[in-house]
Amino acid sequence: MSDQIAQRMQKLEALRAAGVNVYGGLKVEGLSLSSDVRARYEAAEKSVGYVWTPPPPKSWAKPKDADAAAAPAQPEQEQKGVEKPGQPKPESAEPKIEVPEIRATLAGRLMIMRVMGKAAFADLKDSAGRIQLYAQKNTLGDERFAAFKNLDLGDIVSVTGVMFRTNAGEVTLKVESFTLQSKALRPLPEKWHGLTDVEQRYRQRYVDLIVNDDARRMFRTRAAIVRSIREFLDGRGFMEVETPMLQPIPGGAAARPFKTHYNALDCPMYMRIAPELYLKRLLVGGYDKVFEINRNFRNEGMSRRHNPEFTMMEVYQAFGDCSTMMELVESLVTTIAETVMGSLVIKNSDGVEINLTRPWRRVAYADLVKERMGADWYELSREQRAAKAQALGLKHIDAATWSDLEITHEIYEKTIEHTLIQPTFVTRLPAVLVPLAKLAPDDPSVVDVFELEINGQEIAPGYSENNDAVDQRARFEAQARRVEGTHEEESGKIDEDFLTALEFGMPPAGGMGIGIDRLIMLLTGAASIRDVLLFPQLRPQ
RNA sequence: GAGUUGGUAGCUCAGUCGGUAGAGCAACGCCCUUUUAAGGCGUGGGUCCCGGGUUCGAAUCCCGGCCAACUCACCA
């Protein structure tokens, strides 16, 4: 144990012995937020026409009367006389404006203290921000002033007093009484640099949130974004639902699931990799507009863009289609950017500007590929394609084992996707890649879907959902054969009950998913998904 | 899973060629009644990530391990 913790333990015991309730008592009555109190005080100043002006520099040469400036003798004594608190200031040659008294009670964490003998300044941080406290021996009395100085940085206190403005112009609460609400046993990180060690910021997010205002702001923004998504969808008549996260068959995506075991039923269970198949059951049930915002779990690696659990929003609209969803996501993202971030132009973590102004580019997958690889790409043989891919640096592509489609898709993912910085709807993807979507009416080799790319990342896929029960079964079976023996095998299991639901008839529908964490990264310019997750996954220590 | 970089006081960081471990902040003591990274004087504080090895001697060099960040792979 560090000596500082030991010291604080001793202090805590001493306080207890003196009868102090070191962890606070009853609820704090009449509690205000620092931001509100500051605003009230500033309004009070305004109401009487008070405008703060900086005091004259340190010598008290400011004339109390006209001659005083000419008499430099004994400025110190004059200062003392002037500064005696609680007395009308004698220098009021110019009329003094009385600001109405604003009393307040605040509560928060003590972040810094500057003690000057018989007075002390401290910064209190509450959920709204920082505010300065001023404690004075004359006001508090010897004993309470000593107790105030005895507080530790990090302690949580409530304070009651009167607002004023210091010589330096800072709105400050003069403490008349205070109560220790929670003793901190551990010292805070350094006041200037804060906590910068990224590992510690993630592992001890609570400390990060105490000292780093950026972190606090980030998660408030996150909350605001999620709230406005809900408001937006609510405004369009969508119903929010919650479907199982613990599923007997993990479906709706191709990914490795987390496997667990349910004791009561003595059967294997999976953490969901997507809510899709359950939300579609609700379309069958007659809810035409539903959405869910909740966690998905994928048993895959972590990276700057991946966390094993992440927040997904999926939305379905009966009697809509892929184009319905394009309009929806365009409208949703621009609305959020404007209302929460205040701008349609955002900067990514490299400082590149992204303009979200509608309409967004729409381009077919095959056209992007041709744009990159030449107009004759789809006429080339597999060997020719593999050769061209290798020429681009994709050495691992092998014509002997890779299909045409795999080669093309590898090129899309490795050389095209990350170049789509400005919002782009990539449409008409190869049907094999998307078993849950409707085939394009004019070309059964592609599906009627989009993938929305912004900042080189897939932000949202949207589909014209497949509601053909027989076709869906066939494509599931093809998918199951495709992934058989691979690590995706468990996500290739066929959900018979879902197919049964389709057999009752599902209305044609548009569906879309948004990776919420990535959307937040995009809007806030965060470079790592860990910066937008309160408690990102780390290896246990 | 692979590569690169890093891990030194509560925090932020120095540490030269291998020669008994350093600063600022924080803490403790004293002075200081409008400071704001307050100031002044003084004091204490270390499993140098862990385990081996080389060496008279290792924070430093070598090997192994742990943890993290970044890049790559799986993936959204």
Side-chain angles (χ1 to χ4, degrees), chain A residues 11 67 74 96 149 152 160 203 209 213 220 222 238 253 286 289 308 318 335 340 354 382 408 415 440 462 502 536:
Chain A
K11 209 179 237 187
D67 310 353
Q74 301 174 332
K96 186 175 188 317
K149 286 196 293 186
D152 286 311
T160 300
R203 286 196 194 276
L209 292 170
D213 291 337
R220 284 206 186 278
R222 181 179 174 122
F238 286 88
K289 293 169 114 182
T335 299
V340 182
I354 296 170
R382 195 201 304 178
T408 303
T415 73
L502 287 192

Side-chain angles (χ1 to χ4, degrees), chain A residues 121-134:
Chain A
F121 288 93
D123 283 4
L124 186 79
K125 194 173 197 176
D126 68 8
S127 63
R130 278 185 186 236
I131 194 158
Q132 182 169 259
L133 308 179
Y134 179 58

Side-chain angles (χ1 to χ4, degrees), chain A residues 26 35 93 184 307 322 357 365 368 377 426 498-499 510:
Chain A
L26 303 169
S35 52
N307 196 67
C322 177
T357 306
Y365 177 90
L368 277 175
W377 174 258
V426 181
F498 170 68
L499 290 171

Side-chain angles (χ1 to χ4, degrees), chain A residues 79 113-122 132-138 145 148-149 164 166 172:
Chain A
Q79 174 188 353
M113 177 129 59
R114 298 175 288 275
V115 180
M116 287 162 304
K118 299 187 179 63
F121 288 93
Q132 182 169 259
L133 308 179
Y134 179 58
Q136 223 181 11
K137 196 167 190 171
N138 287 12
F145 182 65
F148 188 86
K149 286 196 293 186
F164 75 108
T166 66
T172 300

Side-chain angles (χ1 to χ4, degrees), chain A residues 120-178:
Chain A
F121 288 93
D123 283 4
L124 186 79
K125 194 173 197 176
D126 68 8
S127 63
R130 278 185 186 236
I131 194 158
Q132 182 169 259
L133 308 179
Y134 179 58
Q136 223 181 11
K137 196 167 190 171
N138 287 12
T139 316
L140 286 171
D142 291 1
E143 195 182 316
R144 292 305 286 159
F145 182 65
F148 188 86
K149 286 196 293 186
N150 190 46
L151 292 169
D152 286 311
L153 302 190
D155 285 356
I156 295 174
V157 296
S158 59
V159 294
T160 300
V162 178
M163 301 304 295
F164 75 108
R165 199 180 275 272
T166 66
N167 284 349
E170 181 155 351
V171 174
T172 300
L173 181 133
K174 180 187 275 188
V175 179
E176 293 178 350
S177 64
F178 67 94

Side-chain angles (χ1 to χ4, degrees), chain A residues 345-390:
Chain A
V345 179
I346 53 181
K347 275 202 173 138
N348 73 9
S349 55
D350 299 325
V352 178
E353 281 194 352
I354 296 170
N355 191 336
L356 298 174
T357 306
R358 302 170 71 174
W360 296 342
R361 182 188 181 199
R362 301 179 185 203
V363 58
Y365 177 90
D367 291 340
L368 277 175
V369 173
K370 285 191 247 178
E371 199 175 89
R372 181 82 177 81
M373 303 305 293
D376 62 346
W377 174 258
Y378 285 96
E379 277 106 65
L380 298 179
S381 71
R382 195 201 304 178
E383 287 71 22
Q384 287 171 311
R385 291 192 199 186
K388 281 189 95 163
Q390 289 187 338

